[in-house]
Coordinates of all heavy atoms in Angstrom, one line a residue:
M152 N -10.1 17.5 21.7 CA -10.8 18.3 20.7 C -10.1 19.6 20.5 O -10.0 20.4 21.5 CB -12.2 18.4 21.1 CG -13.0 19.2 20.2 SD -14.8 19.2 20.7 CE -15.5 19.1 19.0
N153 N -9.6 19.9 19.4 CA -8.9 21.2 19.2 C -9.8 22.2 18.4 O -9.3 23.3 18.2 CB -7.7 20.9 18.3 CG -6.7 20.1 19.2 OD1 -6.7 20.2 20.4 ND2 -5.7 19.4 18.6
K154 N -10.9 21.8 17.9 CA -11.8 22.8 17.1 C -12.3 23.7 18.1 O -12.7 23.5 19.2 CB -12.9 22.1 16.4 CG -12.5 21.1 15.4 CD -13.7 20.5 14.5 CE -14.5 19.7 15.5 NZ -15.7 19.1 14.7
R155 N -12.3 25.0 17.6 CA -13.0 26.1 18.4 C -14.3 26.4 17.8 O -14.5 26.4 16.6 CB -12.2 27.4 18.4 CG -11.1 27.5 19.3 CD -10.5 28.8 19.4 NE -11.4 29.6 20.0 CZ -11.2 31.0 20.1 NH1 -10.2 31.5 19.6 NH2 -12.1 31.7 20.7
L156 N -15.3 26.5 18.6 CA -16.7 26.8 18.1 C -16.9 28.3 18.2 O -16.3 29.0 19.0 CB -17.7 26.2 19.0 CG -17.7 24.6 19.1 CD1 -18.7 24.0 20.1 CD2 -18.1 24.1 17.7
A157 N -17.8 28.8 17.4 CA -18.0 30.3 17.4 C -18.5 30.7 18.8 O -19.3 30.1 19.5 CB -19.1 30.6 16.4
G158 N -17.9 31.8 19.2 CA -18.3 32.3 20.6 C -17.5 31.6 21.7 O -17.8 32.0 22.9
Q159 N -16.8 30.5 21.5 CA -16.0 29.8 22.5 C -14.9 30.7 23.1 O -14.0 31.2 22.3 CB -15.6 28.6 21.9 CG -15.1 27.6 22.9 CD -14.8 26.3 22.3 OE1 -15.1 26.1 21.1 NE2 -14.1 25.5 23.0
S160 N -14.7 30.7 24.3 CA -13.6 31.5 24.9 C -12.4 30.4 25.2 O -12.7 29.3 25.0 CB -14.0 32.1 26.3 OG -14.2 31.1 27.2
E161 N -11.3 31.0 25.5 CA -10.0 30.2 25.7 C -9.9 30.0 27.1 O -8.7 29.8 27.6 CB -8.8 31.1 25.0 CG -8.7 31.2 23.7 CD -8.3 29.9 23.0 OE1 -7.8 28.9 23.6 OE2 -8.5 29.8 21.8
T162 N -10.9 29.8 27.9 CA -10.8 29.6 29.3 C -10.2 28.1 29.6 O -10.9 27.3 29.1 CB -12.2 29.8 30.2 OG1 -12.7 31.1 29.7 CG2 -12.0 29.6 31.5
V163 N -9.2 28.0 30.3 CA -8.7 26.7 30.5 C -8.6 26.4 32.0 O -8.0 27.3 32.8 CB -7.2 26.6 29.8 CG1 -6.6 25.2 30.2 CG2 -7.3 26.9 28.4
G164 N -9.0 25.3 32.4 CA -9.0 25.0 33.8 C -7.8 24.4 34.3 O -6.7 24.3 33.5
P165 N -7.7 24.1 35.6 CA -6.4 23.6 36.2 C -5.9 22.4 35.5 O -4.7 22.2 35.6 CB -6.8 23.4 37.8 CG -8.2 23.4 37.7 CD -8.8 24.1 36.5
S166 N -6.8 21.5 35.0 CA -6.2 20.3 34.5 C -5.8 20.5 33.0 O -5.5 19.5 32.3 CB -7.3 19.2 34.6 OG -8.4 19.6 33.8
G167 N -6.0 21.6 32.4 CA -5.7 22.0 31.1 C -6.8 21.7 30.1 O -6.6 21.8 28.9
H168 N -7.9 21.3 30.6 CA -9.1 21.1 29.7 C -9.8 22.5 29.4 O -10.0 23.1 30.4 CB -10.1 20.1 30.3 CG -9.4 18.8 30.4 ND1 -9.2 18.0 29.4 CD2 -9.1 18.0 31.5 CE1 -8.6 16.8 29.8 NE2 -8.6 16.9 31.1
L169 N -10.3 22.5 28.3 CA -11.2 23.7 27.9 C -12.4 23.8 28.7 O -13.3 22.8 28.7 CB -11.4 23.7 26.4 CG -12.2 24.9 25.8 CD1 -11.2 26.2 25.8 CD2 -12.6 24.6 24.4
L170 N -12.7 24.8 29.3 CA -13.9 25.0 30.2 C -15.0 25.5 29.3 O -14.8 26.5 28.6 CB -13.7 26.0 31.4 CG -12.9 25.4 32.5 CD1 -12.8 26.5 33.7 CD2 -13.4 24.2 33.1
V171 N -16.1 24.8 29.2 CA -17.3 25.2 28.5 C -18.2 26.1 29.5 O -18.7 27.0 29.0 CB -18.0 24.0 28.0 CG1 -19.2 24.4 27.2 CG2 -17.1 23.2 27.1
C172 N -18.4 25.7 30.7 CA -19.3 26.3 31.6 C -18.4 26.8 32.8 O -18.0 26.0 33.5 CB -20.4 25.3 32.1 SG -21.5 25.9 33.4
R173 N -18.2 28.1 32.8 CA -17.3 28.6 33.7 C -17.9 28.6 35.2 O -17.2 28.5 36.1 CB -16.8 30.1 33.5 CG -16.0 30.0 32.3 CD -15.5 31.5 31.9 NE -16.4 32.0 31.0 CZ -16.6 33.2 30.7 NH1 -15.9 34.2 31.3 NH2 -17.5 33.6 29.8
C174 N -19.2 28.9 35.2 CA -20.0 28.8 36.6 C -19.8 27.5 37.2 O -19.6 27.5 38.5 CB -21.4 29.1 36.4 SG -21.7 30.8 35.6
E175 N -20.0 26.5 36.5 CA -19.9 25.1 37.2 C -18.7 24.4 37.0 O -18.4 23.2 37.4 CB -21.1 24.2 36.7 CG -22.3 24.6 37.2 CD -22.6 24.4 38.7 OE1 -22.2 23.4 39.2 OE2 -23.1 25.4 39.4
E176 N -17.7 24.9 36.2 CA -16.4 24.5 35.9 C -16.5 23.1 35.1 O -15.8 22.2 35.4 CB -15.5 24.4 37.1 CG -15.3 25.7 37.7 CD -14.2 25.8 38.8 OE1 -13.8 24.7 39.2 OE2 -14.0 26.8 39.5
V177 N -17.4 23.1 34.1 CA -17.5 21.9 33.3 C -16.6 22.0 32.1 O -16.7 23.0 31.3 CB -18.9 21.7 32.9 CG1 -19.1 20.5 32.0 CG2 -19.8 21.7 34.1
S178 N -15.7 21.0 31.9 CA -14.8 21.2 30.7 C -15.4 20.2 29.6 O -16.3 19.6 29.7 CB -13.5 20.4 31.2 OG -13.7 19.0 31.4
M179 N -14.8 20.5 28.4 CA -15.1 19.8 27.2 C -14.9 18.3 27.4 O -15.8 17.5 27.0 CB -14.3 20.5 26.0 CG -14.7 19.7 24.7 SD -16.4 20.1 24.1 CE -16.3 21.8 23.6
A180 N -13.9 18.0 28.0 CA -13.6 16.5 28.4 C -14.7 15.9 29.1 O -15.1 14.7 28.9 CB -12.3 16.4 29.0
Q181 N -15.4 16.6 30.1 CA -16.5 16.1 30.9 C -17.7 15.9 30.0 O -18.4 14.9 30.2 CB -16.8 17.0 32.0 CG -15.7 17.0 33.1 CD -16.0 18.0 34.2 OE1 -15.9 19.2 33.9 NE2 -16.3 17.6 35.4
L182 N -17.9 16.8 29.0 CA -19.1 16.7 28.2 C -18.9 15.5 27.3 O -19.8 14.7 27.1 CB -19.3 17.9 27.4 CG -19.5 19.2 28.0 CD1 -19.8 20.3 27.0 CD2 -20.8 19.1 28.9
E183 N -17.6 15.3 26.8 CA -17.3 14.1 25.9 C -17.5 12.9 26.6 O -18.0 11.8 26.1 CB -15.9 14.3 25.3 CG -15.8 15.4 24.3 CD -14.5 15.8 23.9 OE1 -13.5 15.4 24.6 OE2 -14.3 16.5 22.9
Q184 N -17.0 12.8 27.9 CA -17.0 11.6 28.7 C -18.6 11.3 29.0 O -18.9 10.1 28.9 CB -16.3 11.8 30.1 CG -16.4 10.6 31.0 CD -15.8 10.8 32.3 OE1 -15.4 11.9 32.6 NE2 -15.5 9.6 33.0
A185 N -19.4 12.3 29.3 CA -20.8 12.0 29.6 C -21.5 11.3 28.3 O -22.2 10.4 28.3 CB -21.5 13.3 30.0
C186 N -21.2 11.9 27.1 CA -21.7 11.4 25.9 C -21.2 10.0 25.6 O -22.0 9.1 25.2 CB -21.4 12.3 24.8 SG -22.2 13.8 24.9
R187 N -20.0 9.7 26.0 CA -19.5 8.2 25.9 C -20.2 7.4 26.8 O -20.3 6.1 26.5 CB -18.0 8.2 26.1 CG -17.1 8.6 24.9 CD -15.7 8.3 25.1 NE -15.1 8.9 26.3 CZ -14.5 10.1 26.4 NH1 -14.4 10.8 25.4 NH2 -14.1 10.4 27.6
M188 N -20.7 7.8 27.9 CA -21.3 7.0 28.9 C -22.9 6.8 28.6 O -23.6 6.2 29.4 CB -21.1 7.6 30.3 CG -19.6 7.5 30.7 SD -19.4 8.2 32.3 CE -20.2 7.0 33.4
G189 N -23.4 7.3 27.4 CA -24.7 7.1 27.1 C -25.6 8.2 27.0 O -26.8 8.0 26.8
V190 N -25.2 9.5 27.3 CA -26.1 10.6 27.3 C -26.6 10.7 25.8 O -25.7 10.8 24.9 CB -25.4 11.8 27.8 CG1 -26.1 13.1 27.5 CG2 -25.2 11.7 29.3
D191 N -27.9 10.9 25.6 CA -28.3 11.0 24.3 C -29.2 12.2 24.0 O -29.8 12.4 23.0 CB -28.9 9.7 23.8 CG -30.2 9.4 24.5 OD1 -30.5 10.0 25.5 OD2 -30.8 8.4 24.1
T192 N -29.4 13.1 24.9 CA -30.2 14.3 24.8 C -29.3 15.5 25.5 O -28.6 15.1 26.4 CB -31.6 14.4 25.4 OG1 -31.5 14.3 26.8 CG2 -32.4 13.1 24.7
V193 N -29.6 16.7 25.2 CA -28.9 17.7 25.8 C -29.4 17.9 27.3 O -28.6 18.2 28.1 CB -29.3 19.2 24.9 CG1 -28.6 20.3 25.6 CG2 -28.9 19.1 23.5
R194 N -30.7 17.6 27.5 CA -31.1 17.7 28.9 C -30.4 16.7 29.8 O -30.0 17.0 30.9 CB -32.6 17.5 28.9 CG -33.1 17.7 30.3 CD -34.6 17.9 30.5 NE -35.1 19.1 29.6 CZ -34.9 20.4 29.8 NH1 -34.2 20.8 30.9 NH2 -35.3 21.3 29.1
Q195 N -30.2 15.4 29.2 CA -29.5 14.5 29.9 C -28.0 14.9 30.1 O -27.4 14.6 31.2 CB -29.5 13.1 29.2 CG -30.8 12.5 29.3 CD -30.7 11.1 28.5 OE1 -29.8 10.7 27.9 NE2 -31.9 10.5 28.4
L196 N -27.4 15.6 29.2 CA -26.1 16.1 29.4 C -26.0 17.1 30.5 O -25.1 17.1 31.3 CB -25.6 16.7 28.1 CG -24.2 17.3 28.0 CD1 -23.2 16.1 28.1 CD2 -24.0 18.0 26.6
K197 N -27.0 17.9 30.6 CA -27.1 18.9 31.6 C -27.2 18.3 33.0 O -26.4 18.7 33.9 CB -28.4 19.8 31.4 CG -28.6 20.8 32.5 CD -29.9 21.6 32.2 CE -30.2 22.6 33.3 NZ -31.4 23.5 33.0
M198 N -28.0 17.2 33.2 CA -28.2 16.5 34.4 C -26.9 15.8 34.8 O -26.7 15.7 36.0 CB -29.4 15.6 34.4 CG -30.7 16.2 34.3 SD -31.1 17.4 35.5 CE -31.5 18.9 34.6
A199 N -26.2 15.2 33.8 CA -25.1 14.5 34.1 C -23.8 15.3 34.5 O -22.9 14.8 35.2 CB -24.7 13.5 32.8
T200 N -23.7 16.5 34.0 CA -22.5 17.3 34.2 C -22.8 18.6 34.9 O -21.8 19.3 35.3 CB -21.8 17.7 32.8 OG1 -22.7 18.4 32.0 CG2 -21.5 16.4 32.1
R201 N -24.0 19.0 35.1 CA -24.4 20.3 35.6 C -24.0 21.5 34.7 O -24.0 22.6 35.1 CB -23.7 20.5 36.9 CG -24.3 19.6 38.1 CD -24.0 20.0 39.4 NE -24.2 21.4 39.9 CZ -25.4 21.9 40.2 NH1 -26.4 21.0 40.3 NH2 -25.6 23.1 40.5
V202 N -23.7 21.2 33.5 CA -23.5 22.2 32.5 C -24.7 23.2 32.4 O -25.9 22.7 32.5 CB -23.0 21.8 31.2 CG1 -24.1 21.2 30.4 CG2 -22.4 22.9 30.3
T203 N -24.6 24.5 32.4 CA -25.8 25.4 32.3 C -26.5 25.6 33.6 O -27.5 26.3 33.6 CB -26.7 25.3 31.1 OG1 -27.6 24.1 31.5 CG2 -26.0 25.1 29.8
M204 N -26.0 25.0 34.7 CA -26.7 25.1 35.9 C -26.1 26.1 37.0 O -26.5 26.2 38.1 CB -26.8 23.7 36.5 CG -27.7 22.7 35.7 SD -27.8 21.1 36.3 CE -28.9 21.3 37.6
G205 N -25.1 26.9 36.5 CA -24.4 27.7 37.4 C -25.1 29.0 37.7 O -26.4 29.2 37.4
A206 N -24.4 30.1 38.1 CA -25.0 31.3 38.4 C -25.6 32.1 37.3 O -26.6 32.8 37.5 CB -23.9 32.2 39.2
C207 N -25.1 31.8 36.1 CA -25.7 32.5 35.0 C -26.8 31.9 34.3 O -27.5 32.2 33.5 CB -24.5 32.9 33.9 SG -24.2 31.4 32.8
Q208 N -27.1 30.7 34.9 CA -28.2 29.8 34.5 C -28.1 29.6 32.8 O -29.2 29.4 32.3 CB -29.5 30.4 34.9 CG -29.8 30.4 36.3 CD -30.1 28.9 36.8 OE1 -30.9 28.3 36.6 NE2 -29.0 28.5 37.6
G209 N -27.0 29.3 32.4 CA -26.9 29.0 31.0 C -26.8 30.2 30.0 O -26.8 30.0 28.8
R210 N -26.9 31.4 30.4 CA -26.8 32.6 29.6 C -25.6 32.7 28.8 O -25.5 33.3 27.7 CB -27.2 33.8 30.4 CG -28.6 33.9 31.0 CD -28.8 35.1 31.7 NE -28.9 36.2 30.7 CZ -29.3 37.4 30.9 NH1 -29.5 37.7 32.2 NH2 -29.4 38.4 29.9
V211 N -24.5 32.1 29.3 CA -23.2 32.3 28.7 C -22.9 31.0 27.8 O -22.5 31.2 26.7 CB -22.1 32.4 29.7 CG1 -20.7 32.4 29.1 CG2 -22.3 33.8 30.5
C212 N -23.3 29.8 28.3 CA -22.8 28.7 27.7 C -23.8 27.7 27.0 O -23.6 26.8 26.3 CB -22.1 27.7 28.7 SG -23.0 27.2 30.0
R213 N -25.1 28.2 27.3 CA -26.2 27.2 26.8 C -26.2 27.0 25.2 O -26.2 26.0 24.7 CB -27.5 27.8 27.2 CG -28.8 27.1 26.6 CD -30.1 27.6 27.0 NE -30.2 29.0 26.4 CZ -30.5 29.3 25.3 NH1 -30.8 28.5 24.4 NH2 -30.5 30.6 24.8
Q214 N -26.0 28.1 24.5 CA -26.0 28.1 23.0 C -24.8 27.3 22.7 O -24.9 26.4 21.7 CB -26.1 29.4 22.4 CG -26.7 29.6 21.1 CD -26.9 31.0 20.8 OE1 -26.3 31.9 21.3 NE2 -27.8 31.2 19.8
L215 N -23.6 27.4 23.1 CA -22.5 26.7 22.8 C -22.6 25.2 23.0 O -22.3 24.5 22.1 CB -21.2 27.2 23.7 CG -19.9 26.4 23.5 CD1 -19.4 26.6 22.0 CD2 -19.0 27.0 24.4
V216 N -23.1 24.9 24.2 CA -23.3 23.4 24.6 C -24.4 22.8 23.5 O -24.1 21.7 23.0 CB -24.0 23.3 25.9 CG1 -24.3 21.9 26.2 CG2 -22.8 23.7 27.0
E217 N -25.5 23.4 23.2 CA -26.4 22.8 22.2 C -25.7 22.7 20.9 O -26.0 21.8 20.3 CB -27.6 23.7 22.3 CG -28.4 23.6 23.4 CD -29.7 24.6 23.5 OE1 -29.7 25.6 22.7 OE2 -30.4 24.6 24.5
S218 N -25.1 23.7 20.5 CA -24.5 23.6 19.1 C -23.4 22.6 19.0 O -23.4 21.8 18.1 CB -23.7 25.0 18.8 OG -24.7 26.1 18.7
W219 N -22.6 22.4 20.1 CA -21.5 21.4 20.0 C -22.2 20.1 20.1 O -21.8 19.1 19.3 CB -20.7 21.5 21.3 CG -19.8 20.4 21.5 CD1 -18.6 20.2 20.9 CD2 -20.1 19.2 22.3 NE1 -18.0 18.9 21.3 CE2 -18.9 18.3 22.1 CE3 -21.0 18.8 23.1 CZ2 -18.8 17.1 22.7 CZ3 -20.8 17.5 23.8 CH2 -19.7 16.8 23.6
F220 N -23.2 19.8 21.0 CA -23.9 18.5 21.0 C -24.5 18.0 19.7 O -24.3 16.9 19.3 CB -25.0 18.5 22.2 CG -25.6 17.2 22.4 CD1 -24.9 16.2 23.2 CD2 -26.9 16.9 21.9 CE1 -25.5 15.0 23.4 CE2 -27.5 15.6 22.1 CZ -26.7 14.7 22.9
Y221 N -25.3 18.9 19.2 CA -25.9 18.6 17.9 C -25.1 18.5 16.7 O -25.2 17.8 15.7 CB -27.1 19.5 17.5 CG -28.3 19.3 18.6 CD1 -28.6 20.3 19.4 CD2 -28.8 18.0 18.7 CE1 -29.8 20.0 20.3 CE2 -29.8 17.7 19.6 CZ -30.2 18.7 20.4 OH -31.3 18.6 21.3
S222 N -23.9 19.1 16.8 CA -22.8 19.0 15.6 C -22.1 17.6 15.8 O -21.7 17.0 14.9 CB -21.8 20.1 15.6 OG -21.0 20.0 16.7
Q223 N -21.8 17.2 17.1 CA -21.2 15.9 17.3 C -22.2 14.8 17.1 O -21.7 13.7 16.8 CB -20.6 15.8 18.7 CG -19.6 16.9 19.0 CD -18.3 16.6 18.2 OE1 -17.8 15.6 18.1 NE2 -17.9 17.7 17.5
Y224 N -23.4 14.9 17.5 CA -24.4 13.9 17.4 C -25.6 14.3 16.6 O -26.7 14.5 17.3 CB -24.8 13.4 18.8 CG -23.6 13.1 19.6 CD1 -23.0 13.9 20.5 CD2 -23.0 11.7 19.5 CE1 -21.9 13.6 21.2 CE2 -21.9 11.4 20.3 CZ -21.4 12.4 21.1 OH -20.2 12.1 21.8
P225 N -25.4 14.4 15.3 CA -26.7 15.0 14.5 C -27.9 14.0 14.6 O -29.0 14.5 14.3 CB -26.1 15.1 13.1 CG -24.8 14.3 13.1 CD -24.3 14.0 14.5
A226 N -27.7 12.8 14.8 CA -28.9 12.0 15.0 C -29.5 11.9 16.3 O -30.6 11.1 16.5 CB -28.4 10.5 14.6
A227 N -29.0 12.7 17.3 CA -29.5 12.8 18.6 C -31.0 13.3 18.5 O -31.3 14.1 17.7 CB -28.6 13.6 19.5
R228 N -31.7 12.7 19.5 CA -33.1 13.1 19.5 C -33.3 14.6 20.0 O -32.7 15.0 21.0 CB -33.9 12.3 20.6 CG -35.3 12.4 20.7 CD -35.9 11.4 21.7 NE -35.7 12.0 23.0 CZ -35.3 11.3 24.1 NH1 -35.1 10.0 23.9 NH2 -35.3 11.9 25.3
R229 N -34.0 15.3 19.2 CA -34.2 16.7 19.3 C -35.3 16.9 20.3 O -36.3 16.3 20.2 CB -34.5 17.5 18.1 CG -33.4 17.5 17.2 CD -32.5 18.5 17.2 NE -31.4 18.4 16.2 CZ -30.5 19.4 15.8 NH1 -30.7 20.5 16.4 NH2 -29.6 19.1 15.0
E230 N -35.1 17.7 21.5 CA -36.1 17.8 22.3 C -37.0 19.0 22.0 O -36.6 20.0 21.4 CB -35.5 18.1 23.9 CG -34.6 16.9 24.2 CD -33.8 17.1 25.4 OE1 -32.9 17.9 25.3 OE2 -34.1 16.6 26.5
A231 N -38.2 18.8 22.4 CA -39.2 20.0 22.1 C -38.8 21.2 22.7 O -38.8 22.3 22.2 CB -40.6 19.5 22.6
E232 N -38.3 21.2 24.0 CA -37.8 22.4 24.6 C -36.3 22.2 24.9 O -35.8 21.2 25.5 CB -38.5 22.4 26.0 CG -37.9 23.6 26.9 CD -38.5 23.6 28.2 OE1 -39.5 23.0 28.5 OE2 -37.8 24.3 29.1
L233 N -35.6 23.1 24.4 CA -34.1 23.1 24.5 C -33.8 23.4 26.1 O -34.6 23.6 26.8 CB -33.4 24.0 23.6 CG -33.7 23.7 22.1 CD1 -32.9 24.7 21.2 CD2 -33.1 22.3 21.8
L234 N -32.5 23.5 26.3 CA -32.2 23.9 27.6 C -32.8 25.1 28.2 O -32.8 26.2 27.5 CB -30.7 23.9 27.9 CG -29.9 22.7 27.5 CD1 -28.4 22.9 27.7 CD2 -30.3 21.5 28.5
S235 N -33.3 25.1 29.3 CA -34.1 26.3 29.9 C -33.0 27.4 30.1 O -31.9 27.0 30.5 CB -34.8 26.0 31.1 OG -34.0 25.4 32.1
Q236 N -33.4 28.5 30.1 CA -32.5 29.7 30.4 C -33.3 30.6 31.4 O -34.4 31.0 31.2 CB -32.2 30.4 29.1 CG -31.4 31.7 29.3 CD -31.1 32.3 28.0 OE1 -31.2 31.8 27.0 NE2 -30.6 33.6 28.1
R237 N -32.7 30.8 32.6 CA -33.4 31.6 33.5 C -32.5 32.9 33.8 O -31.4 32.7 33.9 CB -33.6 30.9 34.8 CG -34.4 29.6 34.7 CD -34.7 28.9 36.0 NE -35.4 27.7 35.8 CZ -35.0 26.5 35.8 NH1 -33.7 26.3 36.1 NH2 -35.7 25.5 35.5
P238 N -33.2 34.0 33.9 CA -32.4 35.2 34.3 C -31.9 35.1 35.8 O -32.5 34.6 36.6 CB -33.4 36.3 34.1 CG -34.7 35.7 34.3 CD -34.6 34.2 33.8
P239 N -30.7 35.5 35.9 CA -30.2 35.5 37.2 C -31.0 36.5 38.1 O -31.5 37.4 37.7 CB -28.7 36.1 37.1 CG -28.4 36.0 35.7 CD -29.6 36.0 34.9
V240 N -31.2 36.1 39.4 CA -31.9 37.0 40.3 C -31.0 37.4 41.5 O -30.0 36.7 41.8 CB -33.2 36.1 41.0 CG1 -34.1 35.8 39.8 CG2 -32.7 34.8 41.6
R241 N -31.4 38.4 42.0 CA -30.6 39.0 43.1 C -31.1 38.4 44.4 O -32.3 38.2 44.6 CB -30.5 40.4 43.1 CG -31.9 41.2 43.3 CD -31.7 42.6 43.1 NE -33.0 43.2 43.1 CZ -33.6 43.8 44.1 NH1 -33.0 43.8 45.2 NH2 -34.8 44.3 44.0
P242 N -30.3 38.2 45.4 CA -30.8 37.7 46.7 C -31.6 38.7 47.4 O -31.5 39.9 47.3 CB -29.5 37.6 47.6 CG -28.4 37.7 46.5 CD -28.8 38.4 45.4
V243 N -32.6 38.2 48.2 CA -33.5 39.0 48.9 C -33.5 38.4 50.3 O -33.6 37.3 50.6 CB -35.0 38.7 48.3 CG1 -36.0 39.6 49.1 CG2 -35.1 39.2 46.9
T244 N -33.4 39.3 51.3 CA -33.4 39.0 52.6 C -34.9 38.8 53.2 O -35.9 39.3 52.6 CB -32.7 40.0 53.6 OG1 -33.6 41.2 53.5 CG2 -31.4 40.4 53.0
F245 N -34.8 38.1 54.3 CA -36.3 37.8 54.9 C -36.9 39.1 55.4 O -38.0 39.3 55.3 CB -36.2 36.8 56.1 CG -36.0 35.3 55.7 CD1 -34.8 34.7 55.8 CD2 -37.1 34.7 54.9 CE1 -34.7 33.4 55.4 CE2 -36.9 33.4 54.5 CZ -35.7 32.7 54.7
G246 N -36.0 40.0 55.7 CA -36.5 41.3 56.1 C -37.2 42.1 55.0 O -38.2 42.7 55.2
Q247 N -36.6 42.0 53.9 CA -37.2 42.7 52.7 C -38.6 42.1 52.3 O -39.6 42.8 52.1 CB -36.3 42.6 51.5 CG -35.1 43.6 51.6 CD -34.1 43.2 50.6 OE1 -33.7 42.1 50.3 NE2 -33.6 44.3 49.9
L248 N -38.6 40.7 52.5 CA -39.9 40.1 52.3 C -40.9 40.4 53.3 O -42.1 40.6 53.0 CB -39.6 38.5 52.2 CG -38.9 37.9 51.1 CD1 -38.6 36.5 51.1 CD2 -39.6 38.1 49.8
A249 N -40.6 40.5 54.5 CA -41.5 40.8 55.7 C -42.0 42.3 55.5 O -43.1 42.5 55.8 CB -40.8 40.8 57.0
E250 N -41.2 43.2 54.9 CA -41.6 44.6 54.8 C -42.8 44.7 53.9 O -43.6 45.6 53.8 CB -40.5 45.5 54.4 CG -39.5 45.7 55.5 CD -38.2 46.5 55.1 OE1 -38.2 46.8 53.9 OE2 -37.3 46.7 55.8
G251 N -42.8 43.8 52.8 CA -43.8 43.8 51.7 C -43.7 44.9 50.8 O -44.6 45.0 49.9
G252 N -42.6 45.7 50.8 CA -42.5 46.7 49.9 C -42.0 46.2 48.5 O -41.8 45.0 48.3
S253 N -41.6 47.2 47.6 CA -41.1 46.7 46.4 C -39.6 46.4 46.6 O -38.9 46.9 47.3 CB -41.1 47.9 45.4 OG -40.4 49.0 45.8
L254 N -39.1 45.4 45.9 CA -37.8 44.9 46.0 C -37.0 45.5 45.1 O -36.4 45.6 44.2 CB -37.7 43.4 45.9 CG -38.7 42.7 46.9 CD1 -38.6 41.2 46.6 CD2 -38.1 42.9 48.3

């Protein structure tokens, strides 16, 4: 696939495939393969490839993945809730939790 989507970076992985999700190192080729294997919703695509499940929790790639999926498969079933987006959280030690103060 040589088309560039709006907001898409030129990040290329070791195998030469365009990386869509840098956190989980998911390439465009992996998304296309998952769709060929029967994935028919964005959520199934997420579960099959781990796209949007990395450290940024989809803040970087979620919109790109949804746009790509629905442009490739316009008849795909639209889910009531699109891919979830969670803000990254910082690690908290057990000591901080035990102190009970503000984190």
Side-chain angles (χ1 to χ4, degrees):
M152 174 174 220
N153 293 331
K154 293 189 290 183
R155 275 189 73 187
L156 297 173
Q159 184 175 354
S160 67
E161 288 284 344
T162 307
V163 178
S166 62
H168 295 291
L169 185 70
L170 288 180
V171 176
C172 176
R173 288 181 273 164
C174 296
E175 289 294 319
E176 297 184 1
V177 179
S178 70
M179 184 63 73
Q181 289 171 296
L182 297 181
E183 291 169 344
Q184 180 183 10
C186 289
R187 283 192 302 272
M188 294 179 72
V190 166
D191 63 354
T192 67
V193 178
R194 185 157 310 284
Q195 287 177 359
L196 185 64
K197 177 181 178 176
M198 295 300 127
T200 63
R201 294 195 48 83
V202 69
T203 77
M204 294 176 76
C207 81
Q208 291 293 294
R210 293 183 71 176
V211 175
C212 63
R213 179 186 55 86
Q214 210 169 18
L215 174 66
V216 170
E217 289 171 349
S218 296
W219 173 82
F220 183 80
Y221 290 120
S222 71
Q223 297 296 309
Y224 304 96
R228 188 176 80 226
R229 301 265 177 169
E230 298 169 289
E232 178 187 336
L233 297 177
L234 295 178
S235 60
Q236 178 179 347
R237 297 184 184 106
V240 293
R241 60 186 172 97
V243 178
T244 66
F245 286 113
Q247 290 171 313
L248 290 174
E250 290 173 4
S253 64
L254 301 175

